[in-house]
Amino acid sequence: MTEPDQRGTIFIDPLAYADQQAWHEAAADLRRTAPVLRVEADGYTPFWAVTRYEDVFTVSRYNDRFLNTRNSVLGPDAQVELLGTLGIEPKTLIHMDGEEHRDHRAVANAWFRPRAVSERQAAIDAIADAFVDKFRQLGGRCDFAQDIAVPYTLRVIMSIFGVPEEDEPTMLRLTQGLFGAADPEYLGDLSDPFEMITRTIGEFEDYFNELASERRARPTDDLATVIANANVGGCPMDRHATLWYFTIVATAGHDTTSFALSGGVEALIRHPDQVRLLQKDSSLVVNAADEMIRWTTPVRHFLRYLERPAVLSGTEIPAGDRLLLSYPSANRDEEVFEDPMSFDITRPNATRMISFGGGEHFCLGSTFARRELRTLLPKLLAAVDEITLDGEPEFAQANFVGGVKHLPVAATLR
Ligand code: HEM
């Protein structure tokens, strides 16, 4: 019997993602030699890791052949089963297919259309200005990730959601409890990430049940009111789906975008020539934001299930098996991006990055995410002469959503 290929552990081990250079070298090797790799690991049902851009694109696009239902995020089998037994398994848009997915997506869709996001521009400007002021007050010296990127992106999404500003620290703590449970920094007094996850789901449930009751009794003009009072297929959205709708908007809305911002600023700092380019011509920010989102790829994977057998990059995969779509690997595919390991805000095809996925599940919040980056960056760079690292950046230990979690910077202010 042949030994299982150990190279697939990079998709499971949260620590592997903390060393980005090593991770990307390993993924590049897989794209060349085993682009659809069967991964077998203790405690995990085997899966196929899909690392080439074309394959990730194809699987994302054909939603009737590659399903989301069951479980969309990698976790040990025992944990996934236990969440089911406890009745707290996730049921977000990501966990639905077909009509059920379309009906649920329609609930919030209008809030995320380009036009609706454009209408929020003045509010986003005001929030960005407040954070550039904060950066000034800190003398240009701070942990850019925690002091600026995280609270800025959180405030933007909470401003449409309707969660009051005083509850933002709670939202932040709970997001970290759900997405960052594998990182020792966020585990606190707990020793078991699973305990952190179940505790966090319980707290989210308490918080959002109260918010939902409040918005049903006294509707306002925010997104929380829309979710709390939603009808799906002619009936009120069920309790479980409502809870997870709140949860996905509250968590996916800022954790991802803040990692794109902190990791993107880190990359800029390492390329002072590109900072100067942006300072000279702020219209470059549109492309720069996409390159930052390609470079950081904050969402590391989602899973899909095969409805029928399929062939990807010459590998036959039987029906019922599951695929892990590796967005960070696809975004460094040399077949699509020239010199993919370089950060280049003038990259001609940066917009092809696949960080937001594709097909029917294409990120609902992509317009917001892009606009948040495009709004803050020119304001920030207009405030500084030079910006440098003031210590080593630190990466989150996470195999689902992650990036630069601490970014010490020092800037000379204008
Ligand atoms: C740079 C920031 C972001 C990245 C990299 C990102 C990435 C992703 C990815 C990869 C998916 C799954 C796509 C697929 O399965 O094909 C997704 C879905 C989703 N994202 Fe984002 N996201 C970001 C920002 C946001 C924001 C600001 C929100 C706002 C609430 C948001 C809300 C959602 C929702 C609700 C879904 C589920 C969509 C569905 O299944 O229909 N995301 N995102």
Side-chain angles (χ1 to χ4, degrees):
M1 226 174 83
T2 50
E3 284 291 304
D5 194 323
Q6 292 305 315
R7 291 179 294 171
T9 52
I10 61 163
F11 303 106
I12 299 174
D13 182 5
L15 206 54
Y17 283 98
D19 183 346
Q20 284 285 288
Q21 181 71 23
W23 192 94
H24 278 296
E25 281 166 16
D29 173 56
L30 288 177
R31 284 195 300 278
R32 265 191 315 273
T33 60
V36 183
L37 175 76
R38 187 174 155 86
V39 182
E40 291 176 30
D42 277 352
Y44 290 80
T45 302
F47 60 91
W48 300 87
V50 181
T51 45
R52 282 187 184 158
Y53 185 100
E54 271 322 308
D55 291 333
V56 171
F57 184 82
T58 303
V59 173
S60 304
R61 188 156 165 225
Y62 295 103
N63 301 92
D64 52 339
R65 290 169 52 201
F66 304 100
L67 303 182
N68 280 46
T69 308
R70 271 155 73 187
N71 181 35
S72 315
V73 177
L74 194 65
D77 294 342
Q79 265 188 28
V80 174
E81 262 169 46
L82 200 51
L83 285 177
T85 313
L86 296 170
I88 52 172
E89 73 283 12
K91 188 182 181 186
T92 69
L93 293 180
I94 290 284
H95 299 81
M96 300 175 190
D97 288 300
E99 205 181 319
E100 184 186 35
H101 170 254
R102 278 189 292 278
D103 286 350
H104 281 82
R105 186 161 165 133
V107 167
N109 207 17
W111 286 72
F112 293 95
R113 288 210 185 99
R115 182 143 173 220
V117 179
S118 290
E119 284 166 5
R120 304 288 306 170
Q121 185 59 52
I124 302 173
D125 271 325
I127 297 171
D129 286 336
F131 278 97
V132 173
D133 283 349
K134 179 181 176 188
F135 186 70
R136 283 185 180 283
Q137 280 155 21
L138 293 167
R141 194 162 187 192
C142 63
D143 175 349
F144 186 84
Q146 293 304 318
D147 294 330
I148 308 291
V150 168
Y152 163 64
T153 52
L154 182 65
R155 177 117 359 125
V156 172
I157 209 69
M158 292 303 150
S159 73
I160 64 160
F161 201 23
V163 167
E165 206 170 310
E166 65 267 23
D167 289 350
E168 285 174 10
T170 306
M171 289 296 113
L172 188 58
R173 183 174 57 76
L174 295 181
T175 303
Q176 285 164 347
L178 207 57
F179 287 173
D183 193 317
E185 181 176 341
Y186 302 127
L187 257 184
D189 55 347
L190 298 177
S191 57
D192 177 11
F194 187 66
E195 204 182 330
M196 172 63 98
I197 291 170
T198 49
R199 187 200 273 187
T200 303
I201 294 174
E203 283 191 55
F204 262 134
E205 194 166 5
D206 292 345
Y207 186 92
F208 288 133
N209 279 342
E210 205 182 312
L211 183 65
S213 308
E214 170 62 26
R215 291 301 193 273
R216 282 178 197 131
R218 276 172 289 279
T220 66
D221 60 354
D222 59 22
L223 182 54
T225 301
V226 171
I227 297 172
N229 296 287
N231 272 308
V232 175
C235 305
M237 183 155 62
D238 76 53
R239 210 180 132 88
H240 194 61
T242 305
L243 163 71
W244 281 103
Y245 218 119
F246 277 122
T247 306
I248 194 173
V249 173
T251 54
H254 68 91
D255 212 31
T256 49
T257 318
S258 66
F259 281 128
L261 185 55
S262 58
V265 167
E266 184 215 359
L268 275 176
I269 290 176
R270 293 190 188 278
H271 298 83
D273 52 324
Q274 299 192 38
V275 172
R276 279 189 292 277
L277 259 182
L278 262 178
Q279 282 172 323
K280 251 194 246 146
D281 178 2
S282 62
S283 71
L284 283 175
V285 77
V286 172
N287 207 60
D290 276 7
E291 176 67 349
M292 286 162 89
I293 297 168
R294 179 192 77 92
W295 182 252
T296 53
T297 318
V299 175
R300 271 77 187 266
H301 76 267
F302 272 116
L303 300 174
R304 294 288 194 272
Y305 296 81
L306 261 75
E307 181 74 346
R308 303 193 291 275
V311 178
L312 291 170
S313 282
T315 304
E316 285 179 31
I317 310 154
D321 275 19
R322 57 185 189 162
L323 305 170
L324 176 143
L325 304 184
S326 179
Y327 303 113
S329 172
N331 270 336
R332 300 283 175 109
D333 190 334
E334 30 295 283
E335 294 292 318
V336 176
F337 301 104
E338 203 183 317
D339 196 8
M341 300 297 184
S342 303
F343 176 78
D344 177 6
I345 59 163
T346 65
R347 181 178 293 286
N349 65 349
T351 187
R352 283 192 70 192
M353 52 83 182
I354 197 161
S355 312
F356 293 123
E360 294 198 14
H361 290 275
F362 182 78
C363 175
L364 187 66
S366 66
T367 311
F368 258 112
R370 284 174 151 142
R371 195 168 279 258
E372 286 174 45
L373 264 58
R374 292 173 190 175
T375 304
L376 186 82
L377 276 176
K379 293 178 191 289
L380 180 76
L381 295 183
V384 307
D385 256 333
E386 257 187 272
I387 179 161
T388 53
L389 289 179
D390 193 30
E392 266 312 297
E394 207 184 314
F395 274 78
Q397 297 178 27
N399 68 11
F400 175 37
V401 177
V404 176
K405 66 173 178 175
H406 294 298
L407 182 66
V409 303
T412 45
L413 297 170
R414 283 191 173 147

PDB file of all heavy atoms in Angstrom, residues 119-135:
ATOM      1  N   GLU A 119     -24.546  54.492  -2.705  1.00  0.00           N
ATOM      2  CA  GLU A 119     -25.323  55.423  -1.883  1.00  0.00           C
ATOM      3  C   GLU A 119     -24.758  55.560  -0.471  1.00  0.00           C
ATOM      4  O   GLU A 119     -25.056  56.505   0.245  1.00  0.00           O
ATOM      5  CB  GLU A 119     -26.800  54.983  -1.839  1.00  0.00           C
ATOM      6  CG  GLU A 119     -27.508  55.331  -3.140  1.00  0.00           C
ATOM      7  CD  GLU A 119     -28.851  54.647  -3.292  1.00  0.00           C
ATOM      8  OE1 GLU A 119     -29.302  53.960  -2.349  1.00  0.00           O
ATOM      9  OE2 GLU A 119     -29.455  54.766  -4.391  1.00  0.00           O
ATOM     10  N   ARG A 120     -23.947  54.589  -0.069  1.00  0.00           N
ATOM     11  CA  ARG A 120     -23.331  54.643   1.267  1.00  0.00           C
ATOM     12  C   ARG A 120     -21.999  55.388   1.258  1.00  0.00           C
ATOM     13  O   ARG A 120     -21.317  55.451   2.275  1.00  0.00           O
ATOM     14  CB  ARG A 120     -23.068  53.223   1.800  1.00  0.00           C
ATOM     15  CG  ARG A 120     -24.255  52.308   1.862  1.00  0.00           C
ATOM     16  CD  ARG A 120     -25.235  52.655   2.928  1.00  0.00           C
ATOM     17  NE  ARG A 120     -24.628  52.750   4.247  1.00  0.00           N
ATOM     18  CZ  ARG A 120     -25.244  53.230   5.310  1.00  0.00           C
ATOM     19  NH1 ARG A 120     -26.478  53.654   5.217  1.00  0.00           N
ATOM     20  NH2 ARG A 120     -24.638  53.290   6.474  1.00  0.00           N
ATOM     21  N   GLN A 121     -21.588  55.888   0.071  1.00  0.00           N
ATOM     22  CA  GLN A 121     -20.222  56.431  -0.040  1.00  0.00           C
ATOM     23  C   GLN A 121     -19.938  57.526   0.996  1.00  0.00           C
ATOM     24  O   GLN A 121     -18.874  57.528   1.616  1.00  0.00           O
ATOM     25  CB  GLN A 121     -19.956  56.953  -1.463  1.00  0.00           C
ATOM     26  CG  GLN A 121     -18.517  57.423  -1.674  1.00  0.00           C
ATOM     27  CD  GLN A 121     -17.477  56.330  -1.427  1.00  0.00           C
ATOM     28  OE1 GLN A 121     -17.577  55.239  -1.978  1.00  0.00           O
ATOM     29  NE2 GLN A 121     -16.488  56.597  -0.566  1.00  0.00           N
ATOM     30  N   ALA A 122     -20.898  58.439   1.204  1.00  0.00           N
ATOM     31  CA  ALA A 122     -20.645  59.540   2.144  1.00  0.00           C
ATOM     32  C   ALA A 122     -20.403  58.971   3.551  1.00  0.00           C
ATOM     33  O   ALA A 122     -19.512  59.428   4.280  1.00  0.00           O
ATOM     34  CB  ALA A 122     -21.825  60.496   2.145  1.00  0.00           C
ATOM     35  N   ALA A 123     -21.178  57.952   3.913  1.00  0.00           N
ATOM     36  CA  ALA A 123     -21.016  57.360   5.246  1.00  0.00           C
ATOM     37  C   ALA A 123     -19.659  56.653   5.354  1.00  0.00           C
ATOM     38  O   ALA A 123     -18.967  56.754   6.380  1.00  0.00           O
ATOM     39  CB  ALA A 123     -22.157  56.371   5.511  1.00  0.00           C
ATOM     40  N   ILE A 124     -19.259  55.953   4.282  1.00  0.00           N
ATOM     41  CA  ILE A 124     -17.966  55.248   4.316  1.00  0.00           C
ATOM     42  C   ILE A 124     -16.822  56.267   4.385  1.00  0.00           C
ATOM     43  O   ILE A 124     -15.848  56.089   5.125  1.00  0.00           O
ATOM     44  CB  ILE A 124     -17.803  54.304   3.098  1.00  0.00           C
ATOM     45  CG1 ILE A 124     -18.949  53.275   3.065  1.00  0.00           C
ATOM     46  CG2 ILE A 124     -16.456  53.562   3.151  1.00  0.00           C
ATOM     47  CD1 ILE A 124     -18.985  52.395   1.814  1.00  0.00           C
ATOM     48  N   ASP A 125     -16.976  57.366   3.644  1.00  0.00           N
ATOM     49  CA  ASP A 125     -15.976  58.444   3.698  1.00  0.00           C
ATOM     50  C   ASP A 125     -15.809  58.947   5.125  1.00  0.00           C
ATOM     51  O   ASP A 125     -14.684  59.129   5.602  1.00  0.00           O
ATOM     52  CB  ASP A 125     -16.430  59.627   2.819  1.00  0.00           C
ATOM     53  CG  ASP A 125     -15.936  59.479   1.385  1.00  0.00           C
ATOM     54  OD1 ASP A 125     -14.822  58.971   1.182  1.00  0.00           O
ATOM     55  OD2 ASP A 125     -16.679  59.886   0.471  1.00  0.00           O
ATOM     56  N   ALA A 126     -16.943  59.182   5.783  1.00  0.00           N
ATOM     57  CA  ALA A 126     -16.882  59.744   7.140  1.00  0.00           C
ATOM     58  C   ALA A 126     -16.181  58.762   8.092  1.00  0.00           C
ATOM     59  O   ALA A 126     -15.366  59.159   8.935  1.00  0.00           O
ATOM     60  CB  ALA A 126     -18.300  60.055   7.631  1.00  0.00           C
ATOM     61  N   ILE A 127     -16.481  57.473   7.924  1.00  0.00           N
ATOM     62  CA  ILE A 127     -15.843  56.479   8.807  1.00  0.00           C
ATOM     63  C   ILE A 127     -14.335  56.428   8.508  1.00  0.00           C
ATOM     64  O   ILE A 127     -13.499  56.411   9.417  1.00  0.00           O
ATOM     65  CB  ILE A 127     -16.517  55.092   8.634  1.00  0.00           C
ATOM     66  CG1 ILE A 127     -17.985  55.162   9.053  1.00  0.00           C
ATOM     67  CG2 ILE A 127     -15.786  54.022   9.448  1.00  0.00           C
ATOM     68  CD1 ILE A 127     -18.820  53.923   8.720  1.00  0.00           C
ATOM     69  N   ALA A 128     -13.985  56.440   7.223  1.00  0.00           N
ATOM     70  CA  ALA A 128     -12.558  56.395   6.847  1.00  0.00           C
ATOM     71  C   ALA A 128     -11.834  57.631   7.387  1.00  0.00           C
ATOM     72  O   ALA A 128     -10.725  57.511   7.929  1.00  0.00           O
ATOM     73  CB  ALA A 128     -12.419  56.306   5.327  1.00  0.00           C
ATOM     74  N   ASP A 129     -12.466  58.813   7.273  1.00  0.00           N
ATOM     75  CA  ASP A 129     -11.843  60.045   7.798  1.00  0.00           C
ATOM     76  C   ASP A 129     -11.571  59.901   9.296  1.00  0.00           C
ATOM     77  O   ASP A 129     -10.515  60.305   9.783  1.00  0.00           O
ATOM     78  CB  ASP A 129     -12.758  61.256   7.556  1.00  0.00           C
ATOM     79  CG  ASP A 129     -12.751  61.683   6.090  1.00  0.00           C
ATOM     80  OD1 ASP A 129     -11.768  61.383   5.378  1.00  0.00           O
ATOM     81  OD2 ASP A 129     -13.746  62.306   5.645  1.00  0.00           O
ATOM     82  N   ALA A 130     -12.550  59.342  10.005  1.00  0.00           N
ATOM     83  CA  ALA A 130     -12.390  59.206  11.459  1.00  0.00           C
ATOM     84  C   ALA A 130     -11.182  58.306  11.778  1.00  0.00           C
ATOM     85  O   ALA A 130     -10.436  58.562  12.728  1.00  0.00           O
ATOM     86  CB  ALA A 130     -13.667  58.628  12.074  1.00  0.00           C
ATOM     87  N   PHE A 131     -10.988  57.272  10.969  1.00  0.00           N
ATOM     88  CA  PHE A 131      -9.859  56.367  11.261  1.00  0.00           C
ATOM     89  C   PHE A 131      -8.517  56.960  10.817  1.00  0.00           C
ATOM     90  O   PHE A 131      -7.489  56.674  11.436  1.00  0.00           O
ATOM     91  CB  PHE A 131     -10.125  54.971  10.698  1.00  0.00           C
ATOM     92  CG  PHE A 131     -10.999  54.186  11.628  1.00  0.00           C
ATOM     93  CD1 PHE A 131     -12.367  54.118  11.422  1.00  0.00           C
ATOM     94  CD2 PHE A 131     -10.470  53.584  12.766  1.00  0.00           C
ATOM     95  CE1 PHE A 131     -13.198  53.448  12.312  1.00  0.00           C
ATOM     96  CE2 PHE A 131     -11.293  52.913  13.668  1.00  0.00           C
ATOM     97  CZ  PHE A 131     -12.654  52.841  13.439  1.00  0.00           C
ATOM     98  N   VAL A 132      -8.524  57.799   9.791  1.00  0.00           N
ATOM     99  CA  VAL A 132      -7.270  58.487   9.428  1.00  0.00           C
ATOM    100  C   VAL A 132      -6.928  59.486  10.550  1.00  0.00           C
ATOM    101  O   VAL A 132      -5.763  59.629  10.936  1.00  0.00           O
ATOM    102  CB  VAL A 132      -7.369  59.154   8.043  1.00  0.00           C
ATOM    103  CG1 VAL A 132      -6.131  60.004   7.758  1.00  0.00           C
ATOM    104  CG2 VAL A 132      -7.522  58.079   6.962  1.00  0.00           C
ATOM    105  N   ASP A 133      -7.953  60.129  11.113  1.00  0.00           N
ATOM    106  CA  ASP A 133      -7.708  61.017  12.269  1.00  0.00           C
ATOM    107  C   ASP A 133      -7.112  60.223  13.429  1.00  0.00           C
ATOM    108  O   ASP A 133      -6.186  60.684  14.092  1.00  0.00           O
ATOM    109  CB  ASP A 133      -9.023  61.655  12.754  1.00  0.00           C
ATOM    110  CG  ASP A 133      -9.463  62.788  11.844  1.00  0.00           C
ATOM    111  OD1 ASP A 133      -8.647  63.201  10.982  1.00  0.00           O
ATOM    112  OD2 ASP A 133     -10.619  63.241  11.980  1.00  0.00           O
ATOM    113  N   LYS A 134      -7.659  59.050  13.655  1.00  0.00           N
ATOM    114  CA  LYS A 134      -7.139  58.228  14.748  1.00  0.00           C
ATOM    115  C   LYS A 134      -5.661  57.892  14.488  1.00  0.00           C
ATOM    116  O   LYS A 134      -4.830  57.948  15.388  1.00  0.00           O
ATOM    117  CB  LYS A 134      -7.976  56.935  14.855  1.00  0.00           C
ATOM    118  CG  LYS A 134      -7.488  55.997  15.945  1.00  0.00           C
ATOM    119  CD  LYS A 134      -8.324  54.715  16.023  1.00  0.00           C
ATOM    120  CE  LYS A 134      -7.763  53.758  17.055  1.00  0.00           C
ATOM    121  NZ  LYS A 134      -8.430  52.445  17.033  1.00  0.00           N
ATOM    122  N   PHE A 135      -5.363  57.565  13.231  1.00  0.00           N
ATOM    123  CA  PHE A 135      -3.983  57.232  12.850  1.00  0.00           C
ATOM    124  C   PHE A 135      -3.062  58.426  13.150  1.00  0.00           C
ATOM    125  O   PHE A 135      -1.963  58.273  13.682  1.00  0.00           O
ATOM    126  CB  PHE A 135      -3.951  56.872  11.359  1.00  0.00           C
ATOM    127  CG  PHE A 135      -2.626  56.369  10.859  1.00  0.00           C
ATOM    128  CD1 PHE A 135      -2.136  55.124  11.241  1.00  0.00           C
ATOM    129  CD2 PHE A 135      -1.863  57.151  10.000  1.00  0.00           C
ATOM    130  CE1 PHE A 135      -0.919  54.657  10.761  1.00  0.00           C
ATOM    131  CE2 PHE A 135      -0.639  56.690   9.514  1.00  0.00           C
ATOM    132  CZ  PHE A 135      -0.163  55.434   9.899  1.00  0.00           C
TER     133      PHE A 135
END
